[in-house]
Amino acid sequence: MNETIDPSLIDWSRAQFALTAMYHWLFVPLTLGLGLIMALMETAYYVTEDLFWKRTVKFWMKLFGINFAIGVATGIILEFEFGTNWSNYSWFVGDIFGAPLAIEGILAFFMESTFVAVMYFGWNKVSKKFHLASTWLTTIGATLSAWWILVANAWMQYPVGMEFNPDTVRNEMNDFLAVAFSPVAVNKFIHTVLSGWVLGAAFVAGISFWFLLKKRETEFAVASLKIAAWFGLIASVLCAIAGDGSAYNVGRVQPMKLAAMEALYEGHTRQGLIALGVVNPDKEAYNDSTPPVLLKLEIPNMLSWLVGRDIQTFVPGIKDIIDGGYPTTNGLALSAAEKMKKGRIAIDALAHYREAVTEGDKERAQLNRNLLKENYPYFGYGYLNKPEELIPNVPLNFYAFRIMVGLGGYFILFFALVLVACYKNKWLSGKFLQWVGILTIPLAYIAGEAGWIVSEAGRQPWAIQDVLPNSAAISRLDVSSVQTTFFVFVVLFAVLLLAEIRIMLREIKKGPEGESH
Amino acid sequence: MNTTLIFLQQYWWFIISLLGGLLVFLLFVQGGQSLLFSFGKNEQEQRMLLNLTGRKWEFTFTTLVTFGGAFFASFPLFYSTSFGGAYWVWMLILLSFILQAVSYEFQSHKGNVLGNKVYRCFLVFNGFAAPILLGTAIGTFFNGASFVVDKGAILSASMPVISYWTTPWHGLEAVANPWNVALGLAVFFLARILGTLYFLQSVSEPSIMERCRRSLLPSTLLFLLFFLAFVVHILFATGLAVDPTNGTIYPEAYKYLHNLMALPAVALTFVVGVLCVLTGIIRTLISSTYIRGIWWTGIGTVLTVLALFLIAGYNHTAYYPSVVDMQSSLTISNSSSSLFTLKVMAWVSLIIPFVLGYIIYAWRSIDTTRMNADELKNEGHY
């Protein structure tokens, strides 16, 4: 067994987790968005008793079911992978991180899985009211599930409500409410769920436009479009507002991620936000004089205002964060080298504390315990070898952020246009709008994936911000084992995605005419 | 040691054990899937069976996820050690459940790329693999596994991983121990018995009912063979005990037998559980009209598995023995979460009866009619 971690093991483990997470996110947002739209449609059926709505909801429910199954299947992989591929992480923060996962199972998964069965098998067995309740509870269960897993994810970005225990050598929760309702968690939940609603609306709108293009099921398509347009417009506006909140949080708790998103190396007050630009491929080092962004179109002062609500806010760049010395609310920022030094002091203090406890030397133990506590905020930095390891992939974050924000703006315009078109029926028959509507479906998926890239790739090299880098979070496995499972998942996911798309397209082509009342 | 912490550790081991019992009961879905081609001789019969297990598969799946999540939250060192070490066993279990989750929906649609038969074969695969692998993995709770835990490793920047496996097989070596395999096969045949009893209660198609009744006896005999072999083995086995005053772990002959004698309530649970399992089976075997055996055998399964988990962890026992470094073995006191987290989780667990309540209500509401050709036509989803 090797006594040092093979760097490629970290890369393959990250690749496997990224593959699984991004694949999972192809299905979850549709469950969240389409689930709510279905629930609204079934409510219309319950209130009006118009069989048109029953037929409509059954059509969307069929597509929901095809998507739901694969979302469930891929969700369990993520839960397992925390243990299989990130075992040190599971121990080091399992005391905090495990709780949201368990609560997700008890509160959300059972609700989802119980009532989805009633939703599909209960049309003629339970009352209309109970069936409607089941559809709502399935959606609420999915949303609650999102809450708890996003609480867990937000905690990785902004670890709060915990304290390191040197006796058990792990972090332990000391404030559940701080974990469950941290501002990062609340904002992440709102932003992410709303992005799912936008995708659900884009999905319904796109398919409805396809029926209009084919001149089929016009009444069904227009009714679905009206719901999708209202729902999508409200969701996309709220999503943009929540996105602003996310950027504010990132600026506050993950300045390096923000700097990577902006390809900002040297920060200023009155810092502008780059609307468009090209990351300069010639920039090799964080401290060279090569300009980081070419052909940039900047909104003046915007970034300062975004992260501090004041244009005089100093926004640190990558070089500032590495070199330190810029003003923060806690005084001048430490340099990366200083943080790494403090991290090593913390790790050494832990070693000395353990020795002292074993030897029964209480005084020395207390001394080192205090030293550890004082330096613990930098514990994770002690595992780093050089300051450059702190820099995430700048081009990836820069472009992913722009894709997400750009598409977010597009969705607002798109749904506003569709809403107007719904009340000016002539517009709906225009081929251009119909094709735009259809092509908006993949754009909604791209926006969601881009958002997750920013969230996760921007956090690197940390598994838990400032506390545990990926290199210390890993399982001790052979690289070949992880490579094997990675490629098994690649093949499996590809086949299942192809099957899912083909089944979905076939069911869409069949249309709602096949649905019985 | 803090008595509240000790109580909560015991409480959470009980919850984990109960979830384990419920999970094994719910493996009736896998047992039923493994019999898909044996009981369903034509398309209509197979669809009936698929619609019956298809109504319940998510309960099993969700219970597995919750079992894993609860284990993670309450005993994170087990999650870290076992999942990160026995990589291949957990990955195989995972793979079989991924295939199950997509197969119900995909097999019922045209254009599914692989063809309906392949997805049904995936369900059969999950029907065999999940109970055998889960049973074999639970077997290591008694027979041990090849891992080392060294929390001091966190101090090393080059290799900070605190627990690791000592064989390159990463969990597959568990099948080299015949007692692990015996439990795996016992769980598999029990799942088939439960699946058979579930079909008997839920189907009114005579041809399927006849096949169910015919297959019950052979499955029962094979289950008894492997189950009794495993139980006799552990009653005479040397287990690992922990000294509660200093945490030192040491071997103790007849440890599990001692646990049964020291914990009469657990022993009673075990006996009542086994009797219930047998009652459900025997009543079904001797009466050609009796169809409610699933409840007797199901409740018996929950009680029996609950008792097995309890004797693995209670009474100062190492529930996850290390066969390579005895002091690395996991006990409920050295692997649990902190007092604070266990308290928070204990509050959350109070909601479990409510969850069970709505599951039972919803379950009953869609099981009002037994499956036959008309029911399939009216209510068949798959």
Side-chain angles (χ1 to χ4, degrees):
Chain A
M1 185 66 76
N2 292 332
E3 288 305 311
T4 54
I5 286 184
D6 184 340
S8 67
L9 175 65
I10 303 167
D11 293 339
W12 280 103
S13 299
R14 283 185 61 201
Q16 180 165 297
F17 202 87
L19 171 76
T20 315
M22 291 185 73
Y23 190 72
H24 183 54
W25 195 248
L26 289 175
F27 309 101
V28 174
L30 188 59
T31 299
L32 296 171
L34 186 55
L36 192 51
I37 291 175
M38 273 166 21
L40 290 170
M41 288 175 171
E42 193 173 337
T43 305
Y45 166 58
Y46 180 77
V47 172
T48 63
E49 297 194 340
D50 184 348
L51 288 175
F52 165 80
W53 283 113
K54 184 177 181 185
R55 182 168 162 267
T56 301
V57 79
K58 282 185 104 175
F59 171 75
W60 294 113
M61 210 170 262
K62 190 183 277 185
L63 303 186
F64 178 90
I66 298 162
N67 177 76
F68 184 77
I70 198 161
V72 169
T74 48
I76 193 176
I77 310 175
L78 291 173
E79 188 196 34
F80 270 54
E81 282 182 355
F82 287 122
T84 54
N85 295 82
W86 303 99
S87 69
N88 233 32
Y89 167 96
S90 296
W91 168 248
F92 202 60
V93 297
D95 192 69
I96 308 127
F97 193 82
L101 292 194
I103 297 171
E104 184 187 17
I106 294 167
L107 289 185
F109 286 158
F110 276 114
M111 186 184 286
E112 233 180 323
S113 62
T114 301
F115 293 103
V116 81
V118 179
M119 210 170 83
Y120 283 109
F121 293 96
W123 277 110
N124 301 321
K125 293 191 170 171
V126 301
S127 67
K128 266 204 293 195
K129 193 190 268 185
F130 186 24
H131 195 276
L132 175 65
S134 298
T135 305
W136 274 103
L137 286 168
T138 302
T139 304
I140 291 169
T143 310
L144 277 177
S145 160
W147 172 270
W148 289 108
I149 196 65
L150 291 170
V151 161
N153 180 271
W155 185 83
M156 293 164 72
Q157 320 280 346
Y158 180 50
V160 287
M162 54 103 174
E163 188 172 17
F164 184 75
N165 181 342
D167 296 314
T168 53
V169 195
R170 66 176 177 193
N171 292 282
E172 295 180 354
M173 183 158 56
N174 60 13
D175 187 345
F176 176 68
L177 295 180
V179 175
F181 297 101
S182 86
V184 175
V186 172
N187 203 279
K188 187 175 259 292
F189 169 76
I190 294 170
H191 186 55
T192 311
V193 169
L194 285 168
S195 77
W197 292 6
V198 171
L199 186 139
F203 183 83
V204 171
I207 291 169
S208 302
F209 272 122
W210 183 82
F211 281 109
L212 293 178
L213 186 71
K214 295 288 170 189
K215 297 186 169 48
R216 286 175 53 193
E217 299 289 348
T218 308
E219 188 192 358
F220 155 84
V222 172
S224 296
L225 262 178
K226 276 185 186 165
I227 290 179
W230 275 112
F231 184 67
L233 182 61
I234 293 167
S236 53
V237 170
L238 293 176
C239 191
I241 294 169
D244 170 67
S246 287
Y248 173 75
N249 282 330
V250 168
R252 210 165 45 88
V253 303
Q254 293 176 296
M256 182 62 94
K257 182 194 277 188
L258 185 79
M261 283 156 60
E262 283 297 305
L264 178 67
Y265 283 76
E266 292 185 53
H268 300 93
T269 55
R270 304 176 75 94
Q271 181 66 49
L273 177 79
I274 299 174
L276 290 170
V278 176
V279 178
N280 189 347
D282 293 334
K283 184 153 185 75
E284 289 176 352
Y286 76 90
N287 51 2
D288 66 22
S289 58
T290 312
V293 182
L294 306 171
L295 306 169
K296 67 178 174 186
L297 179 65
E298 199 172 86
I299 306 170
N301 305 328
M302 188 67 185
L303 193 61
S304 284
W305 184 84
L306 204 66
V307 301
R309 302 299 187 236
D310 178 355
I311 59 171
Q312 296 303 333
T313 304
F314 178 81
V315 184
I318 291 169
K319 185 172 181 298
D320 302 307
I321 296 167
I322 300 282
D323 292 346
Y326 62 90
T328 71
T329 49
N330 300 321
L332 290 181
L334 294 179
S335 69
E338 287 169 314
K339 289 178 183 173
M340 287 165 63
K341 191 175 166 191
K342 281 178 170 285
R344 288 189 189 116
I345 290 171
I347 292 173
D348 287 344
L350 175 61
H352 296 144
Y353 171 81
R354 285 169 61 83
E355 279 168 16
V357 168
T358 308
E359 292 161 4
D361 186 342
K362 286 184 183 170
E363 196 180 332
R364 189 169 162 238
Q366 190 58 46
L367 194 72
N368 280 289
R369 192 179 179 119
N370 293 343
L371 193 60
L372 171 62
K373 192 168 182 179
E374 185 188 323
N375 292 284
Y376 189 75
Y378 308 99
F379 188 87
Y381 288 85
Y383 292 104
L384 303 179
N385 295 312
K386 52 184 181 182
E388 286 84 347
E389 288 177 22
L390 286 166
I391 306 171
N393 185 321
V394 173
L396 183 67
N397 282 284
F398 180 87
Y399 291 122
F401 180 60
R402 264 138 209 90
I403 289 170
M404 175 186 72
V405 173
L407 287 173
Y410 162 76
F411 296 135
I412 295 173
L413 293 175
F414 169 74
F415 287 115
L417 183 65
V418 174
L419 190 60
V420 174
C422 283
Y423 295 94
K424 289 183 180 291
N425 265 345
K426 222 165 55 179
W427 290 20
L428 287 177
S429 54
K431 283 222 167 18
F432 179 74
L433 184 59
Q434 290 167 352
W435 274 109
V436 167
I438 294 165
L439 293 174
T440 296
I441 298 177
L443 295 181
Y445 282 96
I446 291 168
E449 295 290 354
W452 274 110
I453 288 171
V454 173
S455 174
E456 301 306 288
R459 193 187 62 232
Q460 300 309 318
W462 302 109
I464 300 148
Q465 185 71 36
D466 295 347
V467 173
L468 192 70
N470 289 326
S471 57
I474 203 94
S475 295
R476 193 163 158 176
L477 295 166
D478 303 322
V479 180
S480 59
S481 299
V482 185
Q483 285 172 326
T484 306
T485 50
F486 175 85
F487 286 112
V488 168
F489 284 135
V490 167
V491 173
L492 183 67
F493 290 171
V495 171
L496 295 182
L497 184 62
L498 184 63
E500 153 110 359
I501 292 171
R502 287 190 60 183
I503 292 170
M504 200 74 102
L505 291 178
R506 196 176 275 262
E507 291 300 331
I508 292 166
K509 275 183 193 165
K510 270 205 261 177
E513 69 264 29
E515 302 302 333
S516 61
H517 292 167
Chain B
M1 200 175 178
N2 186 325
T3 49
T4 311
L5 177 61
I6 293 170
F7 167 76
L8 287 171
Q9 286 168 337
Q10 307 269 332
Y11 174 75
W12 269 98
W13 186 254
F14 179 84
I15 297 285
I16 294 293
S17 304
L18 184 62
L19 281 169
L22 288 168
L23 177 62
V24 176
F25 163 50
L26 290 166
L27 287 176
F28 76 79
V29 171
Q30 273 65 23
Q33 286 170 198
S34 75
L35 294 160
L36 177 64
F37 296 130
S38 311
F39 289 178
K41 294 295 182 191
N42 56 44
E43 177 63 17
Q44 180 171 277
E45 288 178 350
Q46 285 182 15
R47 284 195 57 221
M48 283 184 203
L49 299 175
L50 286 167
N51 273 281
L52 285 173
T53 50
R55 292 174 187 180
K56 309 296 181 202
W57 75 266
E58 287 218 34
F59 289 120
T60 317
F61 197 91
T62 303
T63 306
L64 174 69
V65 174
T66 306
F67 178 73
F71 228 139
F72 192 3
S74 49
F75 300 99
L77 190 54
F78 169 79
Y79 203 80
S80 159
T81 303
S82 181
F83 278 61
Y87 188 76
W88 285 112
V89 173
W90 292 113
M91 278 293 173
L92 282 171
I93 291 172
L94 181 61
L95 184 68
S96 90
F97 276 97
I98 298 167
L99 293 176
Q100 183 209 28
V102 295
S103 292
Y104 275 106
E105 191 66 41
F106 282 17
Q107 61 82 35
S108 66
H109 292 280
K110 287 184 178 159
N112 60 23
V113 179
L114 300 175
N116 298 11
K117 188 79 184 273
V118 172
Y119 288 103
R120 290 182 188 179
C121 287
F122 285 161
L123 289 175
V124 175
F125 168 69
N126 172 251
F128 278 81
I132 292 174
L133 290 170
L134 283 171
T136 304
I138 295 170
T140 62
F141 280 39
F142 297 91
N143 300 311
S146 306
F147 63 88
V148 172
V149 176
D150 172 17
K151 290 180 187 168
I154 202 85
L155 302 166
S156 160
S158 59
M159 179 48 81
V161 183
I162 64 149
S163 59
Y164 60 91
W165 224 246
T166 58
T167 80
W169 296 97
H170 284 289
L172 294 179
E173 73 284 347
V175 296
N177 184 324
W179 304 112
N180 291 337
V181 180
L183 186 60
L185 291 170
V187 172
F188 170 66
F189 286 108
L190 178 60
R192 277 167 83 93
I193 291 167
L194 289 163
T196 304
L197 295 174
Y198 170 65
F199 286 146
L200 265 176
Q201 182 192 248
S202 312
V203 91
S204 61
E205 192 71 17
S207 56
I208 296 178
M209 293 185 77
E210 191 200 327
R211 285 177 209 131
C212 286
R213 290 192 182 278
R214 254 203 332 253
S215 81
L216 191 56
L217 185 60
S219 292
T220 302
L221 293 175
L222 286 164
F223 161 66
L224 287 175
L225 172 71
F226 292 113
F227 179 70
L228 290 175
F230 180 79
V231 169
V232 170
H233 161 69
I234 62 164
L235 290 180
F236 290 96
T238 296
L240 295 185
V242 57
D243 181 340
T245 58
N246 57 20
T248 305
I249 294 165
Y250 58 93
E252 181 182 319
Y254 307 108
K255 175 63 181 159
Y256 301 108
L257 182 61
H258 292 166
N259 285 359
L260 273 180
M261 291 191 292
L263 304 164
V266 176
L268 183 67
T269 304
F270 183 75
V271 172
V272 171
V274 172
L275 288 176
C276 284
V277 168
L278 294 176
T279 302
I281 296 170
I282 292 168
R283 285 188 70 176
T284 309
L285 283 172
I286 59 177
S287 164
S288 60
T289 56
Y290 186 71
I291 59 169
R292 303 278 176 221
I294 178 71
W295 295 113
W296 280 101
T297 306
I299 290 166
T301 299
V302 175
L303 295 176
T304 307
V305 176
L306 169 69
L308 279 175
F309 267 96
L310 293 181
I311 62 165
Y314 277 2
N315 198 33
H316 311 302
T317 309
Y319 71 82
Y320 202 45
S322 169
V323 295
V324 290
D325 176 29
M326 192 162 57
Q327 298 309 320
S328 289
S329 302
L330 305 189
T331 68
I332 60 175
S333 58
N334 73 12
S335 65
S336 84
S337 280
S338 64
L339 174 62
F340 184 87
T341 296
L342 291 177
K343 263 189 200 171
V344 169
M345 295 300 299
W347 282 108
V348 172
S349 72
L350 297 181
I351 205 166
I352 290 176
F354 171 70
V355 173
L356 284 173
Y358 74 65
I359 288 174
I360 292 166
Y361 181 74
W363 183 313
R364 287 169 64 93
S365 67
I366 56 171
D367 273 356
T368 47
T369 320
R370 292 173 73 193
M371 180 61 75
N372 54 32
D374 286 341
E375 171 73 359
L376 182 66
K377 198 173 161 191
N378 295 332
E379 288 294 328
H381 176 68
Y382 299 118

